[in-house]
Amino acid sequence: MNSPPERVAVDEVLRDGELTVLGQLRAASNASFLCDASKDATVVRCIYKPIRGERPLWDFPDGTLAARELAAFRISSELGWGIVPTTLVREGPFGLGAVQEWITELDEDAVGQALLGLFPVDALPSGWLPVLRAVTSDDEEVVLAHADDARLARIAVFDLVVNNADRKGGHVLADSDGAVYGIDHGICLHREDKLRTVLWGWAGRAISDDHLADLQRLGKAIAGVFGDELRTLITDEEVTATVRRIRRILDGPYFPRPVSGLGPVSPIPWPPF
């Protein structure tokens, strides 16, 4: 495989390159294919999710997941946070679908930089935040926790904005350059509150002023041309709900606390990893 392309070439190769399917990700909920996008001897590895392979959901309109993936990427880009890997919607071998740059995750065990994990209740590492306690099939009591890491906190704020209904541990990736990404945003941006995440460790803490300033700027952008762009991907009502969530964060700039037992939505996705 050719050396990694310069960042400026990724968009062009993903948009215009020839998609070659390397294999299917069998564990994915929806049809997902590992591919290479190739153009002019430059290759970008990517994940391709055709719309016709989306599994129907009871609470999200059929055939909208690819557009939501793109909308999440555009919001991440507008914020300047770079959380979502380069994403677009294009034709592929199985029709129109979302195409996203593949992130090669670092070997966490080798470098000791895992960001989420399960630990015995009496062995939570320093600098980690507990989320919940559980009992394993072997009757061992464990705690689900994540690192008190600024990169993760930014993802948690992003999830508040896009109303992410599926922030599993496996949807957070760290690469060898130290960047932390969020993936799988097909079920986000619903008009109703549906936040499900494993990143509850900051509940009740203040959101940083830097993040709030970026959210103020995002709100202004949505009121202008950027809002028009979002309306080509999600409904007017969903755009309005996004603005409402931003205002709610700015008016009460604290990470929310999970609420369980109310309505059909659990605050923790299942499985959490």
Side-chain angles (χ1 to χ4, degrees):
M1 182 175 177
N2 293 319
S3 60
E6 295 296 329
R7 297 303 311 165
V8 293
V10 170
D11 288 11
E12 180 181 351
V13 175
L14 288 182
R15 184 184 66 244
D16 302 327
E18 180 181 358
L19 286 184
T20 300
V21 175
L22 304 178
Q24 183 173 2
L25 279 65
R26 294 291 185 181
S29 300
N30 302 290
S32 301
F33 299 91
L34 183 65
C35 297
D36 277 343
S38 308
K39 182 182 180 184
D40 299 332
T42 300
V43 178
V44 176
R45 182 129 315 161
C46 57
I47 185 81
Y48 161 55
K49 301 177 182 179
I51 293 174
R52 75 185 196 189
E54 295 178 2
R55 186 175 64 179
L57 299 170
W58 69 269
D59 55 346
F60 280 80
D62 293 350
T64 67
L65 274 58
R68 295 175 192 277
E69 293 255 23
L70 178 54
F73 167 68
R74 291 295 300 120
I75 290 172
S76 169
S77 298
E78 188 69 26
L79 284 166
W81 290 0
I83 289 171
V84 183
T86 302
T87 307
L88 50 83
V89 174
R90 58 162 286 181
E91 287 289 340
F94 306 110
L96 195 67
V99 173
Q100 184 175 88
E101 181 185 8
W102 179 264
I103 300 300
T104 301
E105 192 170 18
L106 52 78
D107 185 345
E108 294 173 338
D109 292 333
V111 299
Q113 292 186 9
L115 297 172
L116 300 105
L118 289 172
F119 303 92
V121 293
D122 57 353
L124 184 66
S126 175
W128 284 63
L129 302 174
V131 175
L132 62 81
R133 289 191 177 192
V135 177
T136 69
S137 58
D138 298 326
D139 292 328
E140 178 187 7
E141 191 174 7
V142 295
V143 58
L144 169 66
H146 60 72
D148 187 3
D149 186 287
R151 299 167 299 176
L152 278 184
R154 187 169 62 178
I155 291 179
V157 175
F158 176 74
D159 286 344
L160 295 178
V161 174
V162 301
N163 194 21
N164 192 350
D166 195 31
R167 178 61 73 202
K168 294 182 174 73
H171 296 171
V172 176
L173 304 177
D175 71 7
S176 57
D177 294 326
V180 176
Y181 297 92
I183 61 170
D184 280 357
H185 297 97
I187 51 174
C188 65
L189 294 163
H190 200 285
R191 67 184 184 278
E192 300 173 2
D193 291 341
K194 291 185 178 290
L195 182 66
R196 286 193 294 264
T197 178
V198 294
L199 302 179
W200 286 112
W202 296 281
R205 293 192 186 184
I207 295 173
S208 77
D209 290 341
D210 287 345
H211 291 160
L212 297 176
D214 289 340
L215 295 187
Q216 286 183 321
R217 181 170 48 80
L218 175 63
K220 292 178 181 178
I222 295 177
V225 175
F226 183 59
D228 295 336
E229 178 184 344
L230 287 181
R231 289 182 182 89
T232 67
L233 301 171
I234 58 177
T235 67
D236 288 349
E237 192 174 9
E238 289 166 340
V239 173
T240 298
T242 303
V243 172
R244 185 168 61 247
R245 290 190 297 271
I246 293 171
R247 289 175 179 165
R248 186 167 61 200
I249 297 168
L250 295 175
D251 290 343
Y254 297 88
F255 287 99
R257 298 183 185 278
V259 178
S260 61
L262 298 176
V265 178
S266 165
I268 304 289
W270 189 260
F273 288 95

